[in-house]
Structures are given as C-alpha cells and as structure tokens.
Amino acid sequence: MKFREIKNNVFYCGLNDRERKIFDELIPLEQGTSYNSYLVKGSEKTALIDTMYPPKSEEYLRNLDENNITHIDYIIANHGEQDHTGTLPKLIEKYPDAMIVTNQFCKNNIMEMLLIPENRIQVIKNEEELSLGDKTLKFIMAPGVHWPDTMFTYIVEDNLLCTCDFLGAHYTFDDIFANDSKELEHAAKRYYAEIMMPFRKMCQKYTKQVKELNPSMILPSHGPIYKNPEFILNLYEDWSSDEAKNLVVLPYVSMYGSVEEMIKYLSDKLNSAGIDTIKHDIVSDDLGDLAMAIVDAKTIILGASMVLAAPHPAAANAAYLVNLLNPKAKYASIIGSYGWGGDLIGKLSNMLCNLKVEIIEPILIKGKAKQDTYQKLDEMAQAIIERHKS
Ligand code: FEO
C-alpha cells in the first residue's frame, strides 16, 4: 500500500483493523479500529511516529519495504502501550541505526514490556526539540491522557500535532481525513467514554492546551486525521466539562422482572417531568453503550436483583465499571429486589466509592413492587426532579 501524504513529506503509514471485535478485552468494537503511524521525512533525517499492534506487524513492515523506506533515524514512541509500540522489537532489528525517542516513563515501560535494550533508547524531556533538518519535532508531555507515559509530538514547521490516544476514535476509514460526521462523533464519544473519561480533568487541561497551540491538523493514534481540529476539540470540551446534562441513566439486571418494573416506572415518571432517561439492560445490552450513556448523565440509578444474598454479578460488573470510568454524575441511587435476604445496598454502594455523588435514598424490596414501593419510587423521582431543576 502506498503511503498517503498528509502534508509536506509527512505521510500516513497506519493500518485499519476491521476484524478486531473487542479492545482491552473489555468494550466491544463496533467496526474495528485503526493503528496510526506517521512517517516524517526531513531534509536530513527520517522519523517514524508510533508503530503498530503486533498482529499487524507483518503487513506494516511489508508496507515500509514497498514504500522504499530503507533508513529510519528515529522512532518516536508517544506511549508505551503495545498497540503503538508492539512492532518496536522488529523495527530496531530492521533499522539497526534507528534510535527510539521517548520520555523516561515510556522508556521504562518499553524496556519492561518489550525487552528493548537501553542503548537503543534516547530519552527526551518536555518541550525538547529534535531536528530532522528542515523539520523539527517538539515533544509535549501529556501524562494522564491516558497513561503516565503519554506525550504528544508536534511537527513544528507543518503545525501538525500527533496526540497519541488523546482525541482518537476506534474507527476505520479509507479516506485518512475525518469527515466530521455523526458516525465519527459516535465512535469518538464511545472511545472517550472507555479510555479518556476516567481522566476527565486531564482531558479538560489538554483540550485547552491543544486549542491554544492551534495546530492545523490533529493526527491521533486511532481514527482519522482531523483537518478541522475544532470538531473534536469542541466535543472534548463538552464531554469533559463539569456540566452534566438533564439525563438519568438506569442500568439494571432483573431476574424475575421486579427490578425492571421499578426501573420502568421511575423512568416514565422522570420522562413525564421532562427528564431524559436511558434504561440499560446490563445483561443483553452493549457495555460500550452504557459507558457512552454515563458521559453526560447527571444521575445514575442502578437496578439489581440479588443472587446468593449478594448483588447479581452483572450488577456488580456494571457498578465496578461505572466506578472505574468515574463519570461526572452528581447523584446516584440503587433500586433492588431480593428473594430471601442479604446485603445489596451496602455492597453496591461500596463499589461506587470513586463517584463524587450525593446518594439519593435507595429502595430495596422483597419480591414484587407493592403500593408502598410505588410511593417510594414517586419520592425518588421527586428527589431527582428537584435536584435536576437546581
Ligand atoms: Fe492506543 Fe493506550 O493505546
């Protein structure tokens, strides 16, 4: 495959992976992903920015040959995770003069994870520059989006910013440039939800920093290149802001329908008061959709049946994931139903300990909802309505 030129001897040499079904063995991929790699040809030196996921190594190395890349001086590792560094061991064998350029944290990672010899790594610091002749690479440390080792590489003369995982999307494409479509926005939000939302404050910080830098294009490590950086930066500004939307998300698992009935009743009450809701069946619905839903939610109500005197494992899984993703929600509660007893509220509440939320009085009943249950659900709805209004 012929490398496509982005601008003035900067080329795209990444690959689509349309077959991949899941990322991090956690969130299903709707259409696979792409692993982006960029080749920068200066008048004196050539650099490769990020490399390739190991299962795609063969195709990646073949493409370098087919494009007559016989010499590489520097391989920039913006981040140590193997979807971008997995081909480094083969690359340093193929290009014996190439030095891997990265920060100290990433150096430690690639030495431990990929057994890269220390003498093949050149360590750089924040704002340090590397000359390729008529082009300069400037390194901007960006710890927290999403690993401590993450950095951006700025191609100074061309005003191009390689943002690593930040601002990316699990999205495959034929045209390397973003079409700013709703479909891309959906993919980028799903990616943000899983990968960047736990670092929401850092996303605020780097979105602002990238806006100030004002690059002409953003070159992320997954998904297409943004010729119009405002598209993705404005979305990140919204998703990472402290403002939650007038939305209640209700993930639930219901063994005999009692929990589902309560969730539906509450959701209908909220809808009639003008509050949007998303009901999410934890067992049958896509976990990525739940992650996306909680990006904007002001309130999260978890519904759960009990198994063996404890929360149903699916509810525990959802609580654990929500807690890890740490959304901006302001309020939360639990609705549960049990058969013969045990601790539901305590165990699930403990699993949500990262969330900085006010807990609205939970509801736990034996078996099916009764008249007093509906009264409690009305009270819960009222409590949510008041808080959303305020
Ligand atoms: Fe795309 Fe953090 O790796």
Side-chain angles (χ1 to χ4, degrees):
M1 185 190 73
K2 191 168 171 5
F3 292 157
R4 279 158 292 182
E5 189 169 19
I6 300 163
K7 187 178 180 183
N8 305 337
N9 281 327
V10 178
F11 297 87
Y12 179 82
C13 49
L15 290 171
N16 285 314
D17 186 353
R18 298 186 205 270
E19 306 305 316
R20 194 164 176 185
K21 301 287 180 243
I22 193 161
F23 207 85
D24 291 343
E25 302 303 309
L26 178 64
I27 300 280
L29 294 172
E30 292 179 310
Q31 52 151 293
T33 189
S34 54
Y35 315 106
N36 299 345
S37 174
Y38 301 102
L39 185 79
V40 186
K41 286 185 180 172
S43 55
E44 290 168 24
K45 309 268 186 185
T46 298
L48 198 55
I49 301 177
D50 289 330
T51 69
M52 189 49 59
Y53 180 53
K56 303 290 277 184
S57 288
E58 208 175 300
E59 187 180 352
Y60 178 70
L61 296 172
R62 192 170 60 239
N63 283 344
L64 286 167
D65 286 338
E66 284 175 8
N67 285 271
N68 299 317
I69 310 303
T70 53
H71 182 86
I72 287 175
D73 299 281
Y74 303 114
I75 306 169
I76 315 303
N78 277 328
H79 162 42
E81 208 166 0
Q82 283 101 320
D83 53 331
H84 310 292
T85 55
T87 305
L88 279 177
K90 287 184 176 160
L91 279 169
I92 57 172
E93 219 173 276
K94 184 177 174 67
Y95 299 105
D97 298 326
M99 285 298 283
I100 297 168
V101 177
T102 192
N103 59 74
Q104 183 63 47
F105 208 123
C106 188
K107 173 187 169 180
N108 296 343
N109 286 344
I110 59 177
M111 286 177 67
E112 293 283 347
M113 293 170 185
L114 298 160
L115 309 180
I116 303 287
E118 189 167 17
N119 64 0
R120 297 300 302 272
I121 305 173
Q122 178 178 331
V123 172
I124 45 80
K125 291 194 168 66
N126 189 34
E127 305 222 326
E128 198 168 324
E129 294 186 347
L130 185 70
S131 174
L132 306 180
D134 61 349
K135 290 187 191 295
T136 312
L137 303 182
K138 183 172 178 177
F139 306 103
I140 301 167
M141 300 303 128
V145 287
H146 64 135
W147 274 28
D149 67 0
T150 302
M151 66 183 199
F152 304 155
T153 298
Y154 182 50
I155 307 167
V156 177
E157 290 76 5
D158 301 302
N159 194 19
L160 301 175
L161 184 66
C162 302
T163 55
C164 192
D165 285 321
F166 187 54
L167 309 173
H170 288 314
Y171 195 77
T172 56
F173 45 85
D174 294 316
D175 183 354
I176 56 172
F177 296 111
N179 54 13
D180 298 0
S181 64
K182 279 285 165 197
E183 187 191 55
L184 175 59
E185 178 180 331
H186 172 91
K189 185 172 188 178
R190 199 174 156 100
Y191 175 97
Y192 167 85
E194 183 206 345
I195 295 170
M196 294 294 160
M197 184 160 59
F199 311 102
R200 194 170 59 81
K201 292 286 179 186
M202 301 308 276
C203 289
Q204 287 177 5
K205 174 183 164 179
Y206 293 115
T207 300
K208 188 166 177 279
Q209 195 171 326
V210 173
K211 273 200 162 185
E212 282 165 7
L213 186 64
N214 196 22
S216 65
M217 291 187 219
I218 286 173
L219 285 54
S221 292
H222 301 281
I225 295 162
Y226 296 99
K227 265 186 171 172
N228 167 25
E230 288 285 304
F231 172 78
I232 190 69
L233 290 169
N234 289 344
L235 290 171
Y236 262 64
E237 223 165 46
D238 178 32
W239 299 332
S240 68
S241 80
D242 295 334
E243 289 299 312
K245 297 203 165 51
N246 188 24
L247 170 69
V248 178
V249 174
L250 305 111
Y252 68 92
V253 51
S254 185
M255 287 165 65
Y256 290 103
S258 306
V259 171
E260 187 172 26
E261 193 181 310
M262 290 189 281
I263 290 287
K264 189 171 179 321
Y265 180 86
L266 180 66
S267 174
D268 289 347
K269 279 268 159 191
L270 294 169
N271 289 158
S272 34
I275 296 177
D276 293 332
T277 58
I278 297 176
K279 299 189 291 293
H280 181 92
D281 183 331
I282 302 164
V283 176
S284 60
D285 293 344
D286 184 309
L287 213 53
D289 289 341
L290 173 60
M292 277 181 80
I294 61 173
V295 167
D296 300 315
K298 192 173 275 187
T299 300
I300 299 169
I301 307 290
L302 183 57
S305 301
M306 293 187 74
V307 173
L308 299 171
H312 189 289
N317 186 36
Y320 187 78
L321 181 70
V322 168
N323 194 56
L324 276 181
L325 297 181
N326 199 6
K328 65 174 85 162
K330 315 291 182 204
Y331 311 103
S333 193
I334 297 162
I335 291 174
S337 170
Y338 63 92
W340 45 267
D343 179 24
L344 178 91
I345 306 296
K347 284 199 167 79
L348 283 181
S349 302
N350 285 342
M351 294 183 78
L352 295 170
C353 60
N354 279 350
L355 305 191
K356 292 172 189 67
V357 290
E358 178 194 341
I359 299 286
I360 294 168
E361 186 64 30
I363 299 172
L364 181 64
I365 60 162
K366 181 173 171 69
K368 233 175 136 42
K370 296 141 197 103
Q371 201 176 348
D372 66 323
T373 316
Y374 290 110
Q375 205 175 324
K376 284 181 185 162
L377 286 164
D378 287 343
E379 286 165 13
M380 181 182 273
Q382 197 48 43
I384 295 168
I385 291 163
E386 278 164 19
R387 282 160 179 78
H388 277 231
K389 271 188 194 149
S390 71

